[in-house]
Structures are given as C-alpha cells and as structure tokens.
C-alpha cells in the first residue's frame, strides 16, 4: 500500500483528490503548487493516517484549515505562502496536538496567531519568515515554548 505521494505543480483538482481516499495507509502528502482549494481540504481531512502534509502555494485559506482538524496523527504541516491564512486559521492548527513541525512563512499570521501556537506542546520546529510576526512576538514565543526551534526574519 502506498505510504507517500508528492504531487507538485500539477493540475490536480479538488475532484481528483477524491481518488486518494482509496489510499488508506497514506502518511505523506505533498500538494505544492496545485489547484487545490478549501473544497479539497474536506477530502484531505479524511486521510486519517496522514503524518506529513504540504499544501503550500495553493489557494487554501483559514476555512480550509478547519477541515484538517481531524488529522490527529499529523506531525508536520507546511502551509507556507497561503495568502488566505491568518491568525484565525491558527485556531484550527492548534487542534493538531501531535504537530512537531510547522511552516507558516509567507502567511498573514501576526503575534496573536503565534501565541496561539504555544499550545502545541510537541512543536519542535516553527518557520515564520515573511509574516506579520514581530521580534517581540518571536521572543515571547521562545519564552513560552523554549523547546521549539524558531526560524524567522529576526
């Protein structure tokens, strides 16, 4: 059974994603630079064995992140360069309690969203380049979650 699938720069659509539901053991899914939108996240949210998900450079927004909260095995999430991801989307991300690696660079999160992420007690790596996060926010995050390595513009 297939464990990992990388679909990069493809014309795959939300409808095409539905075929992935047959891959019940899928643990790694990369959908970078595809035509996937929030509607496709409903399908992705049903892939319960996923541990590593990359939806960077797609049209997914905060609304789409809500569909991912059922992915309880997720350890790594890359939501970089998603213009429609803001602090509101971090409310969904913090429900992914096992998350260890999170990349949110090039999104609209600010210090408010960053502070929400301190609830992710297993987080080991966070990348927040090109966001609305400030140096004070990064320092406060590090104080609250010192075990997490933060990469930022500061």
């Amino acid at each position: 059974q297939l464990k990992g699938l990388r679909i990069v720069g493809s014309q795959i659509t939300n409808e095409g994603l539905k075929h992935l539901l047959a891959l019940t053991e899928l643990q790694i899914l990369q959908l970078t630079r595809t035509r996937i939108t929030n509607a496709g996240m409903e399908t992705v949210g049903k892939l319960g064995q996923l541990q590593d998900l990359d939806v960077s450079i797609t049209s997914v927004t905060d609304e789409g992140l809500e569909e991912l909260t059922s992915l309880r095995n997720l350890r790594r999430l890359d939501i970089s360069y998603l213009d429609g991801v803001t602090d509101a989307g971090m409310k969904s991300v913090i429900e992914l309690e096992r998350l260890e690696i999170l990349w949110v660079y090039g999104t609209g999160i600010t210090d408010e969203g960053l502070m929400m992420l301190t609830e992710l007690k297993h987080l080991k790596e966070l990348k927040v380049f090109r966001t609305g996060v400030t140096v004070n926010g990064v320092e406060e995050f590090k104080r609250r979650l010192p075990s997490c390595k933060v990469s930022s513009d500061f």
Side-chain angles (χ1 to χ4, degrees), residues 21-34:
L21 294 174
L23 302 174
T24 57
E25 299 298 316
L26 195 63
Q27 296 175 3
I28 301 169
L29 180 59
Q30 182 178 13
L31 296 168
T32 304
R33 288 190 323 268
T34 61

Side-chain angles (χ1 to χ4, degrees), residues 62 85-92 108-114 116:
D62 293 335
V85 169
T86 67
D87 294 337
M90 298 307 101
K91 293 175 185 170
S92 298
I109 75 161
T110 68
D111 291 346
E112 181 182 342
L114 185 64
M116 286 184 225

Side-chain angles (χ1 to χ4, degrees), residues 76-140:
R76 180 184 176 276
L77 178 61
D78 186 347
I79 52 175
S80 300
Y81 296 110
L82 300 183
D83 296 336
V85 169
T86 67
D87 294 337
M90 298 307 101
K91 293 175 185 170
S92 298
V93 171
I94 62 173
E95 292 188 42
L96 303 169
E97 297 174 354
R98 293 184 178 177
L99 215 53
E100 296 175 2
I101 300 170
L102 177 61
W103 294 1
V104 294
Y105 50 91
T107 64
I109 75 161
T110 68
D111 291 346
E112 181 182 342
L114 185 64
M115 291 309 110
M116 286 184 225
L117 298 176
T118 62
E119 293 185 35
L120 293 169
K121 300 305 178 194
H122 297 285
L123 200 61
K124 296 176 184 172
E125 179 183 320
L126 176 65
K127 292 189 178 186
V128 291
F129 299 102
R130 297 183 181 130
T131 62
V133 170
T134 67
V135 66
N136 291 337
V138 170
E139 291 305 316
E140 179 61 19

Side-chain angles (χ1 to χ4, degrees), residues 59-70:
S59 297
V60 174
T61 68
D62 293 335
E63 182 182 326
L65 296 181
E66 291 174 18
E67 300 292 341
L68 304 180
T69 59
S70 59

Side-chain angles (χ1 to χ4, degrees), residues 8-45:
V8 178
S10 166
Q11 295 299 313
I12 191 169
T13 63
N14 297 323
E15 191 63 29
L17 275 183
K18 292 179 181 176
H19 296 285
L20 299 182
L21 294 174
L23 302 174
T24 57
E25 299 298 316
L26 195 63
Q27 296 175 3
I28 301 169
L29 180 59
Q30 182 178 13
L31 296 168
T32 304
R33 288 190 323 268
T34 61
R35 296 172 55 200
I36 302 308
T37 67
N38 292 337
M41 292 302 93
E42 182 179 349
T43 300
V44 173

